[in-house]
Structures are given as structure tokens and as C-alpha cells.
Amino acid sequence: MIPILRTVAELRALSGGWKARNEVVGVVPTMGALHDGHLSLARRARAECDRVITTIFVNPKQFNNPEDLKKYPRSEDADAALLATVPVDAIFAPPVEEVYPDGFITTVSMGGVAQPLEGHMRPGHFDGVATVVTKLFGMSLADRGYFGHKDWQQLQVVLRLVRDLNIPVQVVGCETIREPDGLAMSSRNVRLTAEGRAKAPILYAAITRAAEDIRAGHADRMAIREAAETMRKAGFERVEYIELRDAETLMPSDDPRRPRRMLAAAWIDGVRLIDNIPV
Ligand code: PAF
């Protein structure tokens, strides 16, 4: 049985013991409802670290929509069973009061890379992410933190965060894990109806096609417009954005010599999906 820790004191005692023996500690922060994408992060941490902690905490501070927070899937028993297959050494699943006790007033607030795209569509989201990630790093005493490319902007935010605040954690970005039809794995996918699930992979197909067209010399704007049109025709209710951005700063980029990323967010079947690919 993998120990499930509820308090920072328990987590610190366990991790502190490992660190005293010079063991390398990896942390995989999650909000639970685990799927193969999360497990791939845990497996990578398992391969690269002496000890692995997975955190399961649905962080209220990063939800700008209370309904989304309420509906966020929670499945701790199933998550623990999946993590036993990796296996990880400990699960940290604290109650909200342990992370944000009475009187909590501090927020890590970020500009720059945290402002556009998801930052614009979901005001306060990345401040919530930056605050909880800072806390999870501090609580776990981790040497390495594992994050997926699926949330590309989040990964860039966390990379900037550790640089700006001199947090001694090496941030490791890991490839997006996809279903066989291309849909990026996400905890939100379970909310799709069968019809929505059948259409959802069109997001990845449309941005892949746009990226190929851009690489072949087509105009960026035209390729993106076609991708949005394909998605709308397929039944996506709303295409929030499809943008070609500098892969690191997330600022608009028409410089093909710099690494660029195409990022998209769209609604199908009442579910908001995001995805991104290199261009
Ligand atoms: O990617 C997530 O699941 C969350 O944003 C994270 C990094 C666990 C912080 O709550």
C-alpha cells in the first residue's frame, strides 16, 4: 500500500528523511482523476529519481469558475490504485485547510508568460497555479518536478517561476500522451458524451494540419483560420483561440527561426479542451 499523507508535517518528515540520505526526490503535482498522461509523468520520475511523491490536490485557487471546480472529477481510490502500478513512494492528498489554512493571504502573481491565452481566458488561473506549485515544492522538498507538455503554457509559467524565485527544483517537461485517435489525454475528457468524444480529436487534427501548412510555407493567419473553420464545421461550439506563439514567451511570433508553438482552446459538448503542438 502506498502511504497517503494528509499533512505537511507527515510529508516533510518522510521527504526530509530521504533527503538526509542524499536521495533525489521527484514530485508529480496533479489534481487527481489520473490517466495515462499523469502516469507517464510518474513513470518518468520513477526512472529518474530515488523517491517519487505524487500530489493529488484540486486547487481551488486556480479555478476562476466555481461550477468548474464543483464538477472537477475526484477519484482518490482509483488514483491510488493506478499509482501503485508505477509505483510511487507516497501520495500527498491534503484537505484544502491544510494547504490554505485560516488567515492565508499570500499569492504568487505573475506577468509575462502567464498573461496571454489561458491567462486571458481564465483570469487568476496562473496565479493560483503558481501559488500552489510554489507551496507544493516547498512542502515536498523535491529536487525535481514533472509537468506535461499538454499544459504547455503552465509548463512555461512554472519554468519562469522557479527561475524568478530561485526555487531549487529542476522542472522537467514531458511529452503529451494521446489516445490512439490523437485526442490529448485530460481529466476533463470523461465529461464528454459519446458524440462529443467522437468529434474531440478534430482539435488535434486541425492544428496538426495548420502546422503542416505553415511549415510548407502557407500564411500563418490563413492556416489558422482554416483550422478554426474545420472545427466549427465539425460541431465545436466555440473556438476560443488558435494561436501561433513563441514557444517560451508565448508572445505572438512570426519568426520561424525561433521555436514556435501552436496552442488552441475550444469547446465541444460543453467541455473546454486545450491542446498544443510544435510548429
Ligand atoms: O496541471 C495540473 O493538474 C495543475 O495545474 C497542477 C500543476 C497540479 C497545480 O494544481
Side-chain angles (χ1 to χ4, degrees), residues 29-31 57 59 62 129 132-133 147 151 154:
T30 81
M31 298 205 296
F57 179 63
N59 174 32
Q62 69 188 74
V129 170
V132 83
V133 168
F147 296 83
D151 294 297
Q154 170 173 278

Side-chain angles (χ1 to χ4, degrees), residues 229-248:
E229 203 42 45
T230 303
M231 287 164 61
R232 276 188 214 104
K233 278 196 187 129
F236 277 76
E237 293 114 52
R238 188 170 163 217
V239 179
E240 271 184 8
Y241 62 78
I242 303 178
E243 292 281 339
L244 184 57
R245 296 286 168 120
D246 182 284
E248 191 182 335

Side-chain angles (χ1 to χ4, degrees), residues 6 12-13 20 52 84 103 105 110 118 136 139 142 146 149 156 172 175 194 218 230-231 233-234 245 249 259-260 266:
R6 305 284 177 197
R12 277 276 179 82
V52 180
I105 52 163
M110 294 181 66
E118 291 301 290
L136 292 171
M139 291 166 171
Y146 291 79
H149 285 183
Q156 303 315 309
V172 182
E175 287 295 325
H218 293 222
T230 303
M231 287 164 61
K233 278 196 187 129
R245 296 286 168 120
T249 65
R260 294 191 296 172

Side-chain angles (χ1 to χ4, degrees), residues 141-215:
L141 307 172
D143 301 291
R144 295 193 185 141
Y146 291 79
F147 296 83
H149 285 183
K150 159 79 177 15
D151 294 297
W152 182 263
Q153 191 175 5
Q154 170 173 278
L155 173 61
Q156 303 315 309
V157 163
V158 175
L159 284 164
R160 189 74 246 173
L161 170 73
V162 296
R163 251 180 280 157
D164 286 358
L165 298 187
N166 306 97
I167 298 175
V169 173
Q170 186 196 340
V171 174
V172 182
C174 307
E175 287 295 325
T176 301
I177 304 297
R178 299 184 180 278
E179 302 287 356
D181 60 11
L183 176 66
M185 289 194 186
S186 162
S187 305
R188 288 192 162 83
N189 293 352
V190 298
R191 286 203 220 146
L192 291 164
T193 60
E195 202 186 327
R197 174 64 190 80
K199 291 174 182 164
I202 291 164
L203 167 57
Y204 176 58
I207 60 173
T208 301
R209 171 75 195 272
E212 280 164 7
D213 286 351
I214 290 168
R215 279 194 291 267

Side-chain angles (χ1 to χ4, degrees), residues 31 58-66 68-70 72 122-125 188 191:
M31 298 205 296
V58 182
N59 174 32
K61 291 205 184 290
Q62 69 188 74
F63 286 82
N64 54 316
N65 175 348
D68 194 24
L69 172 61
K70 210 160 79 193
Y72 201 84
R122 305 176 65 191
H125 169 67
R188 288 192 162 83
R191 286 203 220 146

